[in-house]
Amino acid sequence: MLQMLCLRFLLLLFFLGSLGALLAPRRRRGIAPLPAPYLTRYLTQQIDHFGFDENLTFQQRYLIADQHWKKDNGPILFYTGNEGDITWFCNNTGFMWDVAEELSAMLVFAEHRYYGESLPFGNESFSDSKHLNYLTSEQALADFAVLTEYLKETIAGARHSPVIAIGGSYGGMLAAWFRMKYPHVVVGALAASAPIWQFGDLVPCGAYFTIVTNDFKKSGTGCSESIRNSWNAINHLSSTDAGLQWLSRTFHLCSPLKNLQDAAMLKSWLSETWIDLAMVDYPYKADFLQPLPAWPIQEVCKFLKDPSLSDKLLLQNVFQAINIYYNYTGEASCFDMSETATKNLGQLGWYYQVCTEMVMPMCTDGVHDMFEPQKWDFEALSDECFKLWGVRPRPSWILSMFGGKNISSHSNIIFSNGGLDPWSAGGVTQNITDSLVAIVIPDGAHHLDLRSRNPCDPKSVQQARALEVHYMKQWIAKAKHQH
Amino acid sequence: MLQMLCLRFLLLLFFLGSLGALLAPRRRRGIAPLPAPYLTRYLTQQIDHFGFDENLTFQQRYLIADQHWKKDNGPILFYTGNEGDITWFCNNTGFMWDVAEELSAMLVFAEHRYYGESLPFGNESFSDSKHLNYLTSEQALADFAVLTEYLKETIAGARHSPVIAIGGSYGGMLAAWFRMKYPHVVVGALAASAPIWQFGDLVPCGAYFTIVTNDFKKSGTGCSESIRNSWNAINHLSSTDAGLQWLSRTFHLCSPLKNLQDAAMLKSWLSETWIDLAMVDYPYKADFLQPLPAWPIQEVCKFLKDPSLSDKLLLQNVFQAINIYYNYTGEASCFDMSETATKNLGQLGWYYQVCTEMVMPMCTDGVHDMFEPQKWDFEALSDECFKLWGVRPRPSWILSMFGGKNISSHSNIIFSNGGLDPWSAGGVTQNITDSLVAIVIPDGAHHLDLRSRNPCDPKSVQQARALEVHYMKQWIAKAKHQH
């Protein structure tokens, strides 16, 4: 647990990484409605595309919906699944469902290996580093390429269907990389909120937290300062047993804090909460992950107006604030800090990816951001990874593989980013060429553009979606012209 | 031995594949002069770029020559080593040495893993399929990318050096694929005699042998017909012990033929000889592999004018013909049929590659070509591979990975092919786009353009080289413009 805690502090999780655990029970209760019917299929894939000694195969799950597809080589929108159950992405990528009719498109949602049901070694998939060895972005992209070609070969009328990759977050990175590495398979890619530059020293390691902080700064007077001051308040209180008890009571924790390590965990949990809020700072009441009000950071900040309060008053306000996030419906009786992380397979897999390829340097300084200062510590990450999995990360590999900032010879990729989304720090926010274009949605949080149309959508996301459709139509028309 | 024989019959070897064994002893005798001084270096590379469980490294050898390099970001010509010792390619790619001064270029020759000295597991590299598991084109390309980036980072004045990949045959395929997959690393590629389309059903499986046959047809009246008739002559004679003895004597074989299997081996050996001659049908006396006269097929065909001769007279002529190839200097006392294959590590490695990724369908029909009819038999290859290495080939993988004929979205690749070269059957011989260009050298055999300038060079190869330099200068100028 401690190991996991340290690791958790070193790396930042993507969207589902930190919120997925909360999601699963809600969906089981059947709250989230399915957007449209789809078929669930499976394709036999090589476990190792890049070597021949391991010749076993596994079943990759994919979902397919062709209600609006024009059979005569109509386009295919291909969702490049990320670190989680594909049905969740299918149900939360309303954009694809919204545009399917206009584009006469088939929708395909491909599950990423080692997530959801697509487990190369079944229940043994996470048992050790031997079984985890085939969990890489390259293998996932190869799965996508093989699946796409299979669909075009086997579905009547799809042989010349132009395929467009679509993904958000890590899935957005995969969409962009899919186009870069397999341009013969996909004619273009929409990479939403894809921090493809959050590697090496391509962007400052603190930029991410500066954006989180700015979101709070903009959402209410005194808000980010209150949070910045809260850390010392916790430090003061956690130095005594009485203080620890007070903190446990005040934050309604299911397991009371016992020592400084537990207090560090409280701070880590609060930090994650602020970060998650920055990702889901959507303009309307959302019920897809946590039930949240519109512009939740503004709601949270209503409790955090006075940073100069005494420690206890300040922290009581912090509790009121996070209560919005964790208990908007008033159902929770106590909070379990471990609930946000390390619970489901998706997270286990993502941790392994962070411990190998997905090394995204992150740091805080407490000046440009509202967090306690923490340097990027690669060695600590590497040691944790070695303890956990017996592997060490290779931070330069993704740069060698995918080119870092030197990607101008590629084409037909839309990089969309929300101005409120901390992941935009590592994203492409300026046009690179005529066909490697950036769309910035100032009022958007984490891939807002991929969500369903909503009456409360700000104009900027409406325009972004229109532009995205415009580019996709161009690619489709050009592909048709070539046949 | 029988297994190897079958395999050998099913697959065709590249240049060094079939001739490398002959070359090694010659070079040891010091006949081939070194074109220029170079330094030998080694870089520590991951054995597995695509997985993290195997974290061992190996030393990749590369050769470097910077006599003509302009230190201020002058270009680097990067030879993508193929299936053999890199010093051999270094010494036989005179083109790079010839143009280094004009381009102010540094020359780098990178050895392909599992060949020459670049053995991931030393002497154990070929011991079983576990150790061979990392012998793939993808791993080799990753080595090249990592090496290139290392050179640019560590050599003073090379940070912005444009790098151009150059290779011939399988190395030419790697050069093209290097540009396709790592366009951020190399600004362009010269892919000489690179049969990137000799996969799947992209080209007819018999086209290769039709070209071999045409080379002989053009080189002398009755020549290809004589060879075509020779197979039945051997069949007739090998049906009796006396005939087998006669064949053994006539062909000066070191080990006499004992049965039909041995006779099949004789036919296989002769077939390989004709094929090899088609690859090295150069316009001048060449002493780099076998000492051969100029236009060796014309010399060979002088003995093969009358296809209507009796079996014995015909085969005596065939012996005279191949004597040109194997015994131009008159030094050989007897011929060892096993000498052409299966001898050195290079070949062992290449067999493994053919048994995994490099599945190039080949067939003969005896009508459009001068060989005995033989269908492409994937099952037989697959079974042989399974017996030999415990692996089975995946014939569609290279197509999924590198796009088959659908490569128009890439850029800056020159595909050069010789009209006499059988491998041109699987090559790109027509322009695909403005920057994916084909150069055909009608009088050229296997990557003649990569050889040193020679007074007997036909005009077509001189023009080809000039055009290649022209394109390279364009890429270099454009790269400079971007910095």
Side-chain angles (χ1 to χ4, degrees):
Chain A
M1 190 61 213
L2 180 64
Q3 283 180 355
M4 274 299 186
L5 177 69
C6 295
L7 192 59
R8 193 171 135 192
F9 215 79
L10 279 161
L11 53 92
L12 275 160
L13 299 163
F14 274 110
F15 205 50
L16 187 69
S18 48
L19 299 176
L22 292 162
L23 160 79
R26 289 202 60 75
R27 280 195 42 252
R28 260 179 240 125
R29 277 183 270 143
I31 288 174
L34 298 186
Y38 55 77
L39 294 171
T40 302
R41 295 270 164 80
Y42 299 85
L43 180 65
T44 302
Q45 291 274 13
Q46 291 292 148
I47 286 181
D48 190 4
H49 292 286
F50 297 97
F52 292 76
D53 189 49
E54 171 60 82
N55 204 30
L56 292 178
T57 57
F58 75 101
Q59 297 299 305
Q60 179 185 22
R61 179 168 59 161
Y62 62 99
L63 316 176
I64 193 161
D66 62 0
Q67 295 87 339
H68 297 296
W69 186 53
K70 204 174 107 245
K71 262 201 180 0
D72 180 21
N73 297 318
I76 298 172
L77 305 185
F78 187 98
Y79 188 89
T80 50
N82 23 335
E83 72 284 21
D85 189 302
I86 193 61
T87 59
W88 184 80
F89 295 108
C90 176
N91 292 335
N92 285 290
T93 309
F95 171 75
M96 284 171 64
W97 297 93
D98 287 343
V99 302
E101 187 167 5
E102 181 177 355
L103 298 176
S104 308
M106 184 192 306
L107 305 184
V108 175
F109 297 84
E111 191 159 67
H112 192 298
R113 52 168 58 203
Y114 288 85
Y115 296 99
E117 293 184 4
S118 300
L119 303 176
F121 298 96
N123 292 338
E124 295 296 300
S125 298
F126 297 85
S127 61
D128 56 42
S129 67
K130 279 242 165 314
H131 289 95
L132 277 160
N133 191 44
Y134 311 100
L135 171 50
T136 66
S137 60
E138 292 86 349
Q139 300 274 11
L141 292 174
D143 290 337
F144 295 154
V146 169
L147 171 56
T148 307
E149 294 189 332
Y150 166 80
L151 294 174
K152 292 178 72 167
E153 273 163 32
T154 55
I155 297 177
R159 178 163 293 277
H160 300 299
S161 286
V163 182
I164 294 172
I166 297 181
S169 201
Y170 169 52
M173 295 160 68
L174 291 172
W177 293 339
F178 195 16
R179 169 64 187 169
M180 290 183 199
K181 292 294 184 184
Y182 297 86
H184 53 286
V185 176
V186 285
V187 300
L190 167 56
S193 299
I196 60 164
W197 289 346
Q198 192 68 48
F199 295 94
D201 56 1
L202 297 181
V203 298
C205 61
Y208 179 98
F209 294 95
T210 306
I211 295 174
V212 176
T213 303
N214 285 341
D215 290 349
F216 284 81
K217 205 179 271 178
K218 280 187 288 192
S219 299
T221 314
C223 193
S224 64
E225 290 83 352
S226 295
I227 294 171
R228 188 185 282 117
N229 292 347
S230 72
W231 313 119
N232 263 336
I234 295 174
N235 292 344
H236 295 153
L237 284 158
S238 57
S239 64
T240 66
D241 283 347
L244 286 167
Q245 281 171 29
W246 184 89
L247 285 169
S248 307
R249 268 198 322 274
T250 302
F251 283 94
H252 291 56
L253 300 179
C254 303
S255 316
L257 307 177
K258 296 203 184 71
N259 49 39
L260 284 176
Q261 278 178 357
D262 289 353
M265 196 162 154
L266 172 64
K267 290 189 286 183
S268 168
W269 180 65
L270 291 172
S271 296
E272 276 188 43
T273 307
W274 308 134
I275 290 163
D276 290 347
L277 276 164
M279 282 199 270
V280 298
D281 195 23
Y282 293 132
Y284 42 81
K285 201 168 156 170
D287 59 355
F288 76 115
L289 272 178
Q290 291 288 95
L292 282 177
W295 299 117
I297 296 186
Q298 285 182 17
E299 296 302 313
V300 158
C301 284
K302 286 179 183 163
F303 297 96
L304 301 170
K305 289 181 175 168
D306 187 355
S308 65
L309 290 175
S310 70
D311 290 346
K312 287 192 172 176
L313 288 176
L314 183 67
L315 292 174
Q316 278 167 342
N317 286 346
V318 166
F319 171 72
Q320 295 298 324
I322 64 152
N323 204 34
I324 296 254
Y325 185 67
Y326 288 111
N327 196 23
Y328 185 56
T329 57
E331 284 171 16
S333 60
C334 68
F335 294 144
D336 181 352
M337 293 190 297
S338 68
E339 275 277 296
T340 59
T342 72
K343 265 247 163 148
N344 63 9
L345 285 186
Q347 293 200 343
L348 216 53
W350 184 248
Y351 278 128
Y352 179 82
Q353 292 196 258
V354 169
C355 276
T356 50
E357 290 186 322
M358 295 295 150
V359 187
M360 303 194 232
M362 292 282 182
C363 63
T364 51
D365 63 9
V367 178
H368 300 90
D369 56 65
M370 63 189 191
F371 297 92
E372 287 191 296
Q374 188 167 3
K375 289 208 169 107
W376 169 243
D377 188 346
F378 175 74
E379 295 308 319
L381 171 66
S382 180
D383 290 345
E384 287 294 335
C385 293
F386 192 74
K387 267 188 232 158
L388 278 168
W389 313 104
V391 296
R392 291 201 181 271
R394 298 178 194 155
S396 66
W397 170 241
I398 286 288
L399 298 168
S400 299
M401 188 66 192
F402 297 114
K405 290 202 169 178
N406 187 3
I407 55 174
S408 60
S409 61
H410 300 288
S411 61
N412 294 5
I413 306 175
I414 306 163
F415 295 97
S416 67
N417 277 286
L420 305 176
D421 179 16
W423 288 113
S424 68
V428 179
T429 52
Q430 297 198 314
N431 288 0
I432 296 175
T433 65
D434 281 356
S435 79
L436 289 184
V437 296
I439 297 178
V440 175
I441 306 156
D443 312 307
H446 201 44
H447 52 65
L448 174 60
D449 48 335
L450 291 192
R451 308 202 64 214
S452 295
R453 270 184 221 120
N454 187 294
C456 297
D457 275 331
K459 193 135 199 131
S460 61
V461 77
Q462 293 171 9
Q463 288 169 337
R465 289 187 190 126
L467 199 51
E468 288 161 6
V469 169
H470 167 78
Y471 283 117
M472 290 196 281
K473 283 182 176 172
Q474 273 190 352
W475 302 336
I476 293 164
K478 203 181 161 197
K480 265 206 189 118
H481 188 69
Q482 287 172 341
H483 281 288
Chain B
M1 190 62 214
L2 180 64
Q3 283 180 354
M4 273 301 187
L5 177 69
C6 295
L7 191 58
R8 192 170 135 193
F9 217 79
L10 278 162
L11 53 94
L12 274 161
L13 299 164
F14 273 112
F15 204 52
L16 187 70
S18 47
L19 298 176
L22 293 162
L23 159 81
R26 290 201 60 78
R27 280 196 43 255
R28 260 180 242 126
R29 278 183 269 143
I31 287 173
L34 298 186
Y38 55 77
L39 295 171
T40 302
R41 294 272 164 79
Y42 299 85
L43 180 65
T44 303
Q45 291 273 13
Q46 293 290 149
I47 287 181
D48 189 4
H49 292 286
F50 298 97
F52 292 76
D53 188 49
E54 170 61 82
N55 204 29
L56 292 177
T57 57
F58 75 102
Q59 297 298 304
Q60 179 186 22
R61 179 167 59 160
Y62 62 98
L63 316 177
I64 192 161
D66 63 0
Q67 295 89 339
H68 297 295
W69 186 53
K70 203 173 109 249
K71 262 201 184 355
D72 180 21
N73 296 318
I76 298 173
L77 305 185
F78 186 98
Y79 188 89
T80 48
N82 23 337
E83 72 284 21
D85 189 302
I86 193 62
T87 60
W88 185 79
F89 295 108
C90 177
N91 292 334
N92 285 291
T93 309
F95 171 75
M96 284 171 65
W97 297 93
D98 287 343
V99 302
E101 188 167 3
E102 181 178 354
L103 297 176
S104 307
M106 184 193 305
L107 305 184
V108 174
F109 297 84
E111 192 159 68
H112 191 298
R113 54 167 58 202
Y114 288 86
Y115 296 99
E117 291 184 6
S118 301
L119 303 176
F121 298 96
N123 292 338
E124 295 296 300
S125 298
F126 296 85
S127 60
D128 57 41
S129 67
K130 279 243 164 313
H131 289 94
L132 276 160
N133 192 44
Y134 311 99
L135 171 50
T136 65
S137 59
E138 291 87 348
Q139 299 274 10
L141 293 174
D143 290 338
F144 295 154
V146 169
L147 171 56
T148 307
E149 293 188 332
Y150 167 80
L151 295 173
K152 292 178 73 168
E153 272 163 32
T154 56
I155 296 177
R159 178 164 291 275
H160 300 298
S161 287
V163 182
I164 293 172
I166 297 181
S169 200
Y170 170 52
M173 293 159 68
L174 292 172
W177 292 340
F178 194 16
R179 168 64 187 168
M180 291 183 199
K181 291 294 182 184
Y182 298 86
H184 53 286
V185 177
V186 286
V187 299
L190 168 54
S193 298
I196 60 165
W197 289 346
Q198 192 69 49
F199 295 95
D201 56 2
L202 298 182
V203 297
C205 61
Y208 179 98
F209 293 97
T210 305
I211 294 174
V212 176
T213 303
N214 285 341
D215 290 349
F216 283 81
K217 206 180 268 177
K218 280 187 289 193
S219 299
T221 313
C223 193
S224 65
E225 290 84 351
S226 295
I227 294 170
R228 188 184 282 115
N229 292 348
S230 72
W231 312 120
N232 263 336
I234 295 174
N235 291 345
H236 294 154
L237 284 158
S238 57
S239 64
T240 67
D241 284 347
L244 286 168
Q245 280 172 31
W246 184 89
L247 285 168
S248 307
R249 268 199 323 273
T250 303
F251 282 95
H252 292 56
L253 300 180
C254 303
S255 316
L257 307 177
K258 296 203 184 71
N259 50 40
L260 284 176
Q261 277 179 358
D262 290 353
M265 194 161 156
L266 172 64
K267 290 189 286 183
S268 169
W269 180 66
L270 290 172
S271 296
E272 276 188 43
T273 307
W274 308 133
I275 290 163
D276 289 347
L277 275 165
M279 282 199 270
V280 298
D281 195 24
Y282 292 132
Y284 43 79
K285 201 169 156 169
D287 59 354
F288 76 115
L289 273 176
Q290 291 287 95
L292 282 177
W295 298 117
I297 297 185
Q298 284 182 19
E299 296 303 312
V300 158
C301 285
K302 284 178 184 164
F303 297 97
L304 301 170
K305 288 181 175 168
D306 188 354
S308 64
L309 291 175
S310 70
D311 290 346
K312 286 192 173 176
L313 288 175
L314 183 68
L315 292 175
Q316 277 167 343
N317 286 347
V318 166
F319 171 72
Q320 295 297 322
I322 64 150
N323 203 34
I324 295 256
Y325 185 66
Y326 286 112
N327 195 23
Y328 185 56
T329 57
E331 283 170 16
S333 60
C334 69
F335 295 143
D336 181 353
M337 293 190 297
S338 68
E339 276 276 295
T340 58
T342 72
K343 266 247 163 147
N344 64 8
L345 286 187
Q347 294 200 341
L348 216 52
W350 184 248
Y351 278 126
Y352 179 81
Q353 291 195 259
V354 169
C355 276
T356 49
E357 290 186 322
M358 295 294 150
V359 187
M360 303 194 232
M362 293 282 180
C363 63
T364 51
D365 62 9
V367 178
H368 301 90
D369 57 64
M370 62 189 190
F371 298 92
E372 287 189 295
Q374 188 167 5
K375 289 210 170 101
W376 170 242
D377 188 346
F378 175 74
E379 295 308 319
L381 171 68
S382 180
D383 290 345
E384 287 295 334
C385 293
F386 192 73
K387 269 188 229 159
L388 279 168
W389 314 104
V391 295
R392 292 202 180 270
R394 298 177 194 157
S396 66
W397 170 242
I398 285 288
L399 298 168
S400 298
M401 189 65 192
F402 297 114
K405 290 201 169 177
N406 188 1
I407 57 174
S408 61
S409 62
H410 300 288
S411 61
N412 294 4
I413 307 176
I414 305 164
F415 296 98
S416 67
N417 277 286
L420 306 177
D421 179 16
W423 287 113
S424 68
V428 179
T429 52
Q430 296 197 315
N431 288 0
I432 295 174
T433 66
D434 283 356
S435 79
L436 289 184
V437 295
I439 297 178
V440 175
I441 306 158
D443 312 307
H446 201 45
H447 51 66
L448 174 61
D449 49 336
L450 291 192
R451 309 203 64 214
S452 295
R453 270 184 221 121
N454 187 293
C456 297
D457 274 332
K459 195 136 197 128
S460 61
V461 77
Q462 292 171 11
Q463 287 170 337
R465 290 188 189 125
L467 198 51
E468 287 161 6
V469 169
H470 167 78
Y471 283 116
M472 290 196 282
K473 283 182 176 171
Q474 273 190 352
W475 301 337
I476 294 164
K478 201 180 162 198
K480 263 203 190 123
H481 188 69
Q482 287 173 341
H483 282 289

